[in-house]
Structure formats: structure tokens, C-alpha cells
Amino acid sequence: GQQLNQSPQSMFIQEGEDVSMNCTSSSIFNTWLWYKQDPGEGPVLLIALYKAGELTSNGRLTAQFGITRKDSFLNISASIPSDVGIYFCAGQPVQRAQKLVFGQGTRLTINP
Amino acid sequence: SAVISQKPSRDICQRGTSLTIQCQVDSQVTMMFWYRQQPGQSLTLIATANQGSEATYESGFVIDKFPISRPNLTFSTLTVSNMSPEDSSIYLCSVLLAGVGNEQFFGPGTRLTVL
């Protein structure tokens, strides 16, 4: 089945630094979604991408849908303490309408 | 978005017993899903909850172990049957809202510990 390879698995950065993470797959996806999960909470949707090449921003967050439709990245600029958490990419495969495949997650830790 | 609630928020259960988790949404929903998140892991889709008919299960998940009901558009239950310690996970429901494309919104999750 489809798999998403998300990297890095974890990041330890200083407050104010920029962050970049990405997901790749051998399969083509129709939709890419990025979520953030805080401890004890469900994932919260950050950004949704629907078209190859699409670049979308949400405040300090920017995400892109790769041209090949097999990858996506998420950037966070000027990190702040509340950015701490686990970030997941999720893709909707071409053959599996409405169903999502999730990456393994990137755990972000920020040193003040 | 929508307000999605799950009950219970957490529970500690004995092996061999069953637990039913409820998911309620306050908006018009087109699809509802149930996921499992094992400790320190990502999310895995268990099944799609279909209104008025049997749920559609993903590979590796079966109805006898995870019976699902969806009696109406905005409510669903997932039962974890004959539990073992390996079932200790967070169980999450998610929804697709009417008119909001492929964006799935998640409930807060139910943290289950099986002793």
C-alpha cells in the first residue's frame, strides 16, 4: 500500500529559527494535508493543498504540493514556543478517495 | 470547522472486556472515520463508518474486533472488543464536512489503556 516517508523524525531548534520538514512517496496523491498534534489532543489541520505546484501560507507556515504530486514540504518561519508538537503530513491517494495516509510525524522541540 | 466530541476521553480497562467509544459532531458531515494511534506512532485508518450500513474496514482490521455503528449523519460509535494490552492506543474519529473538500477534522481522541 501507499506509504509516506516524513523527515526529519525530530528537530531540536532555538526559538526564532526557521523549520523545514517534508514528506515523500512513491505514489501519486490528489491532496496533501499538514496537521499538528499537541500532547493529549487530536491532530489539528494546518494547511490543505489540492494542486500540483500549489504554495499556500497560513501565518508563519508555508506548505507546497510537489510538482510530481509525490511530495510536499512544510516550513515554519521564526519559530515560537507554541510551535512545539508533532507535525504530520497526510496524503489522499489517487485510488482511495477521501482516505488519508499519514507520515510518521516530525517531533519539534524548541529551546528558548 | 466543526466541534467534534468523543466519550470517554480516557479509560483504563481489564483485558477481555470491551469498550465503546462515542463520536458526536455538531455540523453536517459527509463521511466519518475511525483511526488508531499506537503509543509514539502515527495514525492508522481502522474503518469508514457508513450511515445505516456496515462499516468499510481497512486491511488488518475486522468487524468482530472493532464493531462500528453510525445510526445517523452526526454520530458514530467504535467498540474495541475482547481487549488485550496491545489494544492500548489513542482512538480518534475524524469527519469530512459537507462542502469542505478533502479536509478531515479530528476529534480529541480517546486514550485507552488495557491492563
Side-chain angles (χ1 to χ4, degrees), chain A residues 10-77:
Chain A
S10 60
M11 302 183 73
F12 299 85
I13 64 169
Q14 296 295 124
E15 183 177 351
E17 289 185 11
D18 297 343
V19 172
S20 184
M21 60 192 77
N22 68 84
C23 275
T24 62
S25 174
S26 58
S27 302
I28 294 173
F29 288 81
N30 281 334
T31 303
W32 284 95
L33 305 171
W34 285 92
Y35 291 87
K36 178 175 183 274
Q37 186 175 31
D38 292 327
E41 305 283 336
V44 174
L45 182 64
L46 300 173
I47 291 179
L49 303 160
Y50 290 99
K51 296 180 182 178
E54 179 181 355
L55 184 70
T56 297
S57 293
N58 178 7
R60 293 179 295 106
L61 278 60
T62 302
Q64 184 159 31
F65 192 144
I67 291 290
T68 64
R69 297 171 66 189
K70 295 181 179 181
D71 64 319
S72 177
F73 72 74
L74 175 71
N75 289 341
I76 305 172
S77 63

Side-chain angles (χ1 to χ4, degrees), chain A residues 30-31 33 35 37 39-45 48 50 86 88-89 92 96-105 107, chain B residues 10 31 33 35 37 40-45 48 56-58 90 92 96 100-109 111:
Chain A
N30 281 334
T31 303
L33 305 171
Y35 291 87
Q37 186 175 31
E41 305 283 336
V44 174
L45 182 64
Y50 290 99
I86 303 177
F88 290 99
C89 63
Q92 184 221 317
R96 291 164 55 84
Q98 283 87 40
K99 297 187 179 179
L100 295 181
V101 177
F102 278 78
Q104 303 95 325
R107 182 181 296 273
Chain B
R10 58 177 61 230
M31 299 185 76
F33 306 91
Y35 287 81
Q37 186 176 26
Q41 302 295 313
S42 185
L43 286 77
T44 301
L45 180 64
T48 303
T56 305
Y57 289 84
E58 297 299 303
I90 300 172
L92 298 132
L96 284 176
V100 191
N102 292 328
E103 299 166 25
Q104 286 190 27
F105 297 93
F106 284 83
R111 184 179 295 272

